[in-house]
Amino acid sequence: MAKGLQGFSWTMLLLFCAIQELGAWATRTVVEDPGLGQPGDPVLLASGRVKRGWVWNQFFVVEEYTGTEPLYVGKIHSDSDEGDGSIKYTISGEGAGTIFLIDEITGDIHATERLDREQKTFYTLRAQARDRQTDQLLEPESEFIIKVQDINDSEPRFLEGPYIGSVAELSPIGTSVMQVMASDADDPTYGSSARVVYSVLEGEQHFTVDSKTGVIRTAVADLDRETQDRYEVVIRATDMAGQLGGLSGSTTVTIVVTDVNDNPPRFPQKMYQFSIVETAPVGTAIGRVKAEDSDVGENTDMTYQVKDEEGVEMFKVTTDSNTQEAVIIVQKPLDYESKKVHTVVVEALNKFVDPRFVDLGTFRDQTIVRVSVLDVDEPPEFRPPSNLMEVQEDAHIGSVVGVVTALDPDTANHPVRYAIDRSTDAERIFDIDANTGAIVTGKVLDRETAGWHNITVLAMEADNHSQVSRASLRIRILDVNDNPPELATPYEAAVCEDAKPGQLIQTISVVDRDEPQSGHRFYFTLAPEASNNHHFSLLDIKDNTAAVHTQRMGFNRQEQDVYLLPILVVDSGPPALSSTGTLTIRICGCDSSGAIQSCNSTAYVVSATLSPGALIALLVCVLILVVLVLLILTLKRHHKSHLTSEDDEDMRDNVIKYNDEGGGEQDTEAYDMSALRSLYDFSEIKGGDGGGGPGEGGLSGNPASELHILPQWVQSPDLDFSVFRDYICKKVEQADGDQSVPPYDSFQTYAFEGSDSPVLSLSSINTWSSSSEQDFSYLGGWGPRFRQLAALYAGRRGEEDSEES
């Protein structure tokens, strides 16, 4: 069947092309030589004959030709061709020599390959006519086009598929869902190959499609998302305007039915039951209930509320935005003894209601929630919950301040015991009767010390002290008149010697630590001991103050410079209390304007210029300075004594040590012999024939006077070392006993060098005798290094001889 249709198509196409070609032969086209014919040149000769040129038809070739022979396209011809074969025709350009071949003699063009118009719609070529003998151009090269003739070989395609669309449920018939569009690659300007029409292959029960535009619309009005939320619709596109033999293509369109709020919320149950203990605090969640809604998205958002009056008072309902559940919460304390079961009506309603579907019914639902209260052992409750008591400050110890009462709310009604939290009454000012709850005073009260007391009272079950209740109690101490009034300050006033009678000296006010409910009222008068006073008067101003005035003309401070005026102050009671205060009045000298110049009382002047605090600070500063001076003097004296002790006892500073051997015989500057010669002399030490007095052969006098000159050592078998041993031991004992100097770790020791030395001793220390017979001239024979030493000792011996002489 398909092959028959295809053969019929080819037959019709060839017949159409033959008719078109015959018409083309009837119309000849003369192509002028572009090189010979310029724009505006005449195309006719003087004789009226047309100039020679190209002659050909409009060229067409049918696509998808499947014949075995080359397909004839057309003929190119020059009007100078006489048919003797002297002209050679050639072509060049797109497909020349490969797709298109030309007969050089006749100019016939054939297509040798199968062409596809959807890939290339036309080919541009150039034709030439040459002399076969001379190969010269007989006609100028001219361009011509071969068009590919279209056939219906491409089916419509949905390039944007697959498609997904949506439509709201319950939409009316004819509601547009979406548009689909198919594309046909055939030539839309030739025939009906590219004319596409649309139809529904599957899903026509619910949707239709416009055959020309491809717009899909609803075919029914009762699309229900809750029943079916999506549809698969197959749309077909057919070319040739849907005629027999046209090609077609199809696509699948998924249509999603979107939700509208057409379903009200519904509780799965008409009654829910929960239980909670009576001691649950306010804000405790009892349970959750949820109404079901078949819709989706925001159409399922709902709110809950309590509808009955009892439930509104005791409970509240909130909505969990994540789960859309109703959370029932305790709003007031529960009491098992008062009510064991509570009934709450909870209503659910949609948050967003679509007015188009109001006629479908009410979008709300109700359910009943029964809350059972469970009994627990509760602590006692204070009744009534009054927290204020009052007591007079002069109440005796053991006086009753008030009584607190607590009852066990449980059915068992256990007895209650009372106590005071001692952390709130550490001084034990109050006590409480454990059985009756009577609060009594435990100590003497004083309103002026503490006007209020805050204590915590404990109430507990007699057989279960873990069940404890606490109540804060405020006790106010009421005032009684137990403090007399007193002058506000120790008043002192000054009056000029030339004061006139009736002059105001001082205004007196008083203070009272008591606080009577009716307010203070004080009365002023001069004390009885001032009955003989004729110098000053006291006036009660009636506003709890009094004024002191002069009563005579002038005063003489030489006679009396200070007056003491006793003033009696009485309060209004009850009972009335009084006290006497003294006003000190000083007589001072004043200038003509009444300004005080001086008073006889130095203390008064000082007190007027310097406050007691300033005087104390001044005295403290002076005392600190004296202590610092004494401390500095003491430290300097101690330091000086310490230095003197070191100078007297430290003998190491007088020993000079040289470690340099010297520069040889010519070096006369290496040693300072005056330093080597000791600065000390044992003047008290005498040799065997030195004579001189007592203590011969030993040490005499103060050790400080013993060191004058160090003795020079001379080897002698009968020397006595006890002098040095005693001296060194004495110095060691003094150093060990002195706590003011640091200990020294070494002593310089000079000892006997031995009897076997042939050179004797080279020490520069003198012997006990002042006249040494030792000769050092032998040192000159020891070499250059000892010659200088021999010269030095020889010089020393010469000086000693001269001194003796």
Side-chain angles (χ1 to χ4, degrees), residues 64-80:
E64 303 295 342
Y65 175 70
T66 57
T68 58
E69 297 295 330
L71 178 63
Y72 178 77
V73 177
K75 175 191 288 288
I76 61 174
H77 181 71
S78 173
D79 57 1
S80 62

Side-chain angles (χ1 to χ4, degrees), residues 524-683:
F524 299 86
T525 183
L526 293 177
E529 55 267 28
S531 58
N532 297 326
N533 171 60
H534 302 291
H535 307 291
F536 307 98
S537 64
L538 180 66
L539 176 63
D540 192 343
I541 307 178
K542 306 301 184 182
D543 62 350
N544 293 336
T545 62
V548 179
H549 297 83
T550 58
Q551 196 173 355
R552 76 173 195 178
M553 174 69 74
F555 295 88
N556 188 351
R557 57 175 174 170
Q558 299 299 329
E559 297 178 358
Q560 185 174 355
D561 60 347
V562 177
Y563 291 88
L564 301 178
L565 185 64
I567 299 174
L568 179 65
V569 184
V570 183
D571 61 16
S572 57
L577 300 178
S578 64
S579 67
T580 300
T582 301
L583 171 63
T584 302
I585 304 174
R586 300 184 183 276
I587 309 302
C588 301
C590 303
D591 58 10
S592 59
S593 62
I596 297 176
Q597 295 297 317
S598 64
C599 299
N600 287 342
S601 178
T602 305
Y604 178 75
V605 176
V606 173
S607 63
T609 57
L610 291 177
S611 64
L615 291 175
I616 294 174
L618 182 61
L619 293 176
V620 170
C621 291
V622 172
L623 181 61
I624 291 175
L625 290 175
V626 172
V627 172
L628 289 176
V629 170
L630 294 177
L631 181 60
I632 292 173
L633 293 176
T634 304
L635 292 177
K636 290 181 66 176
R637 185 175 180 182
H638 178 72
H639 183 64
K640 184 176 181 181
S641 174
H642 176 65
L643 293 177
T644 303
S645 176
E646 289 184 352
D647 292 341
D648 293 341
E649 298 181 5
D650 190 3
M651 301 303 297
R652 300 194 305 170
D653 293 342
N654 299 323
V655 179
I656 300 174
K657 181 179 181 181
Y658 286 87
N659 292 325
D660 192 358
E661 294 182 355
E665 185 174 304
Q666 302 301 324
D667 187 4
T668 60
E669 303 295 335
Y671 295 95
D672 184 4
M673 294 307 297
S674 62
L676 291 175
R677 300 186 183 105
S678 176
L679 300 178
Y680 301 97
D681 184 17
F682 288 128
S683 60

Side-chain angles (χ1 to χ4, degrees), residues 377-534:
D377 189 8
E378 299 175 273
E381 295 179 356
F382 286 92
R383 299 177 184 176
S386 176
N387 61 350
L388 177 61
M389 293 183 180
E390 295 179 344
V391 61
Q392 296 284 342
E393 66 173 322
D394 60 348
H396 298 289
I397 297 177
S399 300
V400 177
V401 179
V403 178
V404 294
T405 303
L407 300 176
D408 186 5
D410 298 325
T411 307
N413 194 15
H414 297 95
V416 179
R417 297 292 180 263
Y418 303 93
I420 294 178
D421 186 353
R422 288 305 171 185
S423 62
T424 61
D425 184 27
E427 298 181 2
R428 295 183 175 270
I429 299 176
F430 301 96
D431 293 322
I432 189 171
D433 189 293
N435 297 319
T436 64
I439 299 176
V440 298
T441 59
K443 289 185 178 181
V444 176
L445 305 178
D446 184 10
R447 189 203 64 82
E448 287 72 30
T449 302
W452 288 89
H453 295 274
N454 297 320
I455 64 174
T456 300
V457 179
L458 309 178
M460 63 200 78
E461 294 181 2
D463 54 352
N464 186 6
H465 288 183
S466 62
Q467 297 295 330
V468 180
S469 295
R470 298 173 179 266
S472 297
L473 185 62
R474 300 169 59 209
I475 301 177
R476 179 182 180 183
I477 309 302
L478 301 178
D479 184 46
V480 296
N481 192 25
D482 56 349
N483 293 282
E486 299 175 350
L487 293 182
T489 60
Y491 287 101
E492 291 188 3
V495 63
C496 296
E497 287 182 300
D498 57 352
K500 299 178 181 180
Q503 181 177 338
L504 177 63
I505 300 175
Q506 183 71 47
T507 300
I508 304 298
S509 62
V510 298
V511 293
D512 193 336
R513 297 175 62 190
D514 296 322
E515 293 182 358
Q517 295 181 355
S518 59
H520 289 290
R521 178 67 180 95
F522 302 109
Y523 304 93
F524 299 86
T525 183
L526 293 177
E529 55 267 28
S531 58
N532 297 326
N533 171 60
H534 302 291

Side-chain angles (χ1 to χ4, degrees), residues 36 60 94 122 369 393 395 429 486 608 617 625 638 659 705 715:
L36 298 174
F60 292 93
E94 297 178 334
F122 63 89
V369 178
E393 66 173 322
I429 299 176
E486 299 175 350
L625 290 175
H638 178 72
N659 292 325
S705 63
Q715 184 176 3

